Amino acid sequence: MEQYEPDRLSPARVAAMRRSFRNGRAAMTRRSLLRASAGGAFAVGGLGALTGCGIPAAGNTEGGVSAEDHSAKEKVVNFSNWTEYMDVDESEKHHPTLDQFKQRTGISVKYTEDINDNVEFFGKIKPQLAAGQDTGRDIIVLTDWLAARLIRLGWVQKLDPANLPHAYANLSAQFRNPDWDPGRAHSYVFQGISTVIAYNKKALDGVEVKTLSDLLDNPKLKGRVGFLSEMRDSIGMTLLDMGKDPGSFSADDYDAAVARIQKAVDKGQIRRFTGNDYTSDLSSGDFAACIAWAGDVVQLKADSPDIDFLIPDSGYITSTDNFLIPNKARHKTNAEKLIDFYYEPKPAAELAAYINYVTPVDGVKAELEKIDADAANNPLIIPDKAMAAKSHAFRSLSSKEETEFEEKFAKLTGA
């Protein structure tokens, strides 16, 4: 189990985080991806969350420090999530699925949208977790790389399978066994995030795009290609295009992917590296094609017939946002019941219809068809078997690898 030690960030990693806060997934506000992001406001404060501050290692590093569970007497669960990442009614004052959960179980949900980016939120909860204290939260939702770190530190609890029958039965196969949490002992997926190739048909003007190599090499697209400022997405998609597995690549493979992208940068093929602000470039036609996040593409396609996407034969990168129960949570059983509720097809479908991300729940399609037939047949929301088979996760990185790889990517992007 990894001991917590104050982080010493290299300049390159600081630059990478600044990049992420300004433009990347750290800046996304889920449902409001096409509006100005609030996450960038944490660029400076968030960096401090991972820098050294003299906090000692957690007292128990063997994983999962429970507290007395007050679930039976206190019918409540405290749930922290990202902004605009939950269904709301027309009044925008109520969350229908959370209300259904209360009606069925008698458990109230204190729902707080206080996660604006992973690093900034980590800074909020780190002092309490490191000191072995209750964070005041029973459920938190974090992106896979940070979820992995909290698990390594022993700062989240093991889940009780007895309270998660629907989750165990209905979790999609592609999400069942991440290398950072084998068998999902500590986490379950809240939503999936797919990285695909998006394009503007009008801007392409007949130019054929089928692979990432087309973006990197076709001279007809020179200066009209976008790559993401998120290292795992751009490098992961490039590794796949090169026939390498992002789940088991070597340092030499990584260097080869960097060199492949660098060649395109040097000849002016890539216009720029962006976060979710690529949406405006794609819509305007400044980007003819780019690496994109599926949640954006669903919304862009709804607004413009010129926007579409493709899944290369080589595959695509999938990451996840994940339910976690932090150490010392006061209402662990209630939290597990709520996690399990979202693995029932009906509430999972209602959530998917609203937020348009990849649902991790098998059996949702029939329920989603009752709400939104287009969404039910959209492989960016419910991947079909062919698409799911092309899904790849970027492997976990050691602290040393994280530093070295971010340094190289920062140099590549000019950050």
Side-chain angles (χ1 to χ4, degrees):
M1 189 66 63
E2 176 181 313
Q3 284 279 346
Y4 175 74
E5 296 179 359
D7 293 270
R8 298 290 183 255
L9 297 184
S10 69
R13 288 187 72 185
V14 171
M17 288 177 185
R18 288 190 186 278
R19 218 171 41 241
S20 183
F21 293 134
R22 289 195 303 269
N23 303 313
R25 275 214 309 271
M28 292 200 303
T29 56
R30 277 34 189 189
R31 188 70 179 178
S32 58
L33 281 168
L34 306 187
R35 301 199 296 270
S37 168
F42 296 93
V44 176
L47 291 172
L50 288 182
T51 56
C53 59
I55 296 174
N60 183 322
T61 59
E62 297 193 358
V65 180
S66 61
E68 181 181 352
D69 191 348
H70 296 266
S71 293
K73 293 182 179 180
E74 299 176 5
K75 296 296 185 178
V76 66
V77 58
N78 298 301
F79 183 2
S80 283
N81 202 356
W82 295 76
T83 56
E84 302 194 51
Y85 210 14
M86 183 60 67
D87 57 309
V88 297
D89 65 7
E90 291 183 1
S91 72
E92 298 191 355
K93 295 180 179 179
H94 299 281
H95 302 288
T97 55
L98 293 178
D99 291 344
Q100 291 170 32
F101 176 76
K102 180 181 179 181
Q103 291 168 6
R104 182 194 300 181
T105 65
I107 300 169
S108 298
V109 181
K110 183 179 179 182
Y111 184 74
T112 308
E113 295 182 337
D114 60 346
I115 304 179
N116 292 290
D117 64 67
N118 286 287
V119 177
E120 181 268 341
F121 185 72
F122 181 70
K124 287 183 182 179
I125 62 175
K126 178 180 65 175
Q128 294 157 303
L129 290 173
Q133 299 172 353
D134 180 12
T135 66
R137 300 168 175 89
D138 301 306
I139 296 177
I140 56 178
V141 175
L142 298 177
T143 305
D144 44 22
W145 65 267
L146 184 55
R149 187 169 195 213
L150 265 65
I151 290 170
R152 290 197 305 269
L153 288 165
W155 287 359
V156 296
Q157 298 187 51
K158 286 188 175 180
L159 302 173
D160 184 350
N163 294 325
L164 295 156
H166 296 97
Y168 181 81
N170 295 335
L171 177 62
S172 297
Q174 71 181 99
F175 299 120
R176 281 191 175 270
N177 201 38
D179 65 353
W180 49 271
D181 188 21
R184 291 286 177 185
H186 304 83
S187 68
Y188 268 95
V189 180
F190 180 68
Q191 296 290 293
I193 304 168
S194 297
T195 304
V196 300
I197 294 176
Y199 58 88
N200 184 315
K201 288 180 277 190
K202 185 176 180 180
L204 283 178
D205 193 25
V207 176
E208 188 175 57
V209 170
K210 290 186 176 181
T211 69
L212 196 72
S213 289
D214 292 329
L215 273 63
L216 292 170
D217 299 329
N218 191 330
K220 293 181 180 180
L221 298 180
K222 182 176 180 179
R224 299 192 294 139
V225 169
F227 266 53
L228 289 170
S229 56
E230 292 288 341
M231 180 266 285
R232 287 167 175 80
D233 295 298
S234 286
I235 295 294
M237 291 292 282
T238 304
L239 286 167
L240 286 169
D241 188 69
M242 297 169 65
K244 302 296 183 180
D245 182 358
S248 60
F249 66 89
S250 67
D252 287 342
D253 294 333
Y254 183 91
D255 289 345
V258 169
R260 178 93 171 87
I261 302 172
Q262 184 67 60
K263 183 179 178 181
V265 170
D266 293 344
K267 64 183 181 183
Q269 188 77 6
I270 295 175
R271 185 182 184 93
R272 67 190 184 104
F273 292 83
T274 73
N276 65 282
D277 53 329
Y278 69 81
T279 56
S280 59
D281 290 308
L282 187 63
S283 296
S284 69
D286 287 341
F287 284 167
C290 62
I291 299 177
W293 290 308
D296 292 353
V297 178
V298 172
Q299 297 180 47
L300 289 171
K301 278 174 60 65
D303 294 336
S304 172
D306 290 327
I307 305 301
D308 213 335
F309 76 99
L310 66 92
I311 303 295
D313 287 341
S314 58
Y316 67 101
I317 294 293
T318 296
S319 55
T320 54
D321 286 330
N322 307 273
F323 289 114
L324 300 164
I325 299 178
N327 284 355
K328 298 289 187 174
R330 188 175 175 89
H331 311 103
K332 181 174 183 285
T333 298
N334 291 346
E336 290 167 338
K337 289 179 179 179
L338 181 57
I339 294 170
D340 195 61
F341 172 76
Y342 279 108
Y343 274 82
E344 296 180 27
K346 188 175 185 296
E350 293 179 22
L351 181 62
Y354 186 80
I355 63 176
N356 294 155
Y357 275 76
V358 178
T359 176
V361 182
D362 282 342
V364 165
K365 187 171 183 177
E367 292 292 338
L368 189 52
E369 284 177 339
K370 300 174 185 176
I371 305 169
D372 185 339
D374 289 338
N377 292 293
N378 189 332
L380 297 182
I381 298 174
I382 302 181
D384 55 27
K385 289 184 179 180
M387 183 169 174
K390 294 181 179 180
S391 172
H392 297 266
F394 198 93
R395 71 169 174 83
S396 299
L397 302 178
S398 67
S399 296
K400 181 180 179 181
E401 286 177 324
E402 184 83 33
T403 299
E404 292 176 352
F405 291 176
E406 284 289 6
E407 284 177 351
K408 292 173 180 178
F409 192 70
K411 183 178 180 181
L412 168 67
T413 62

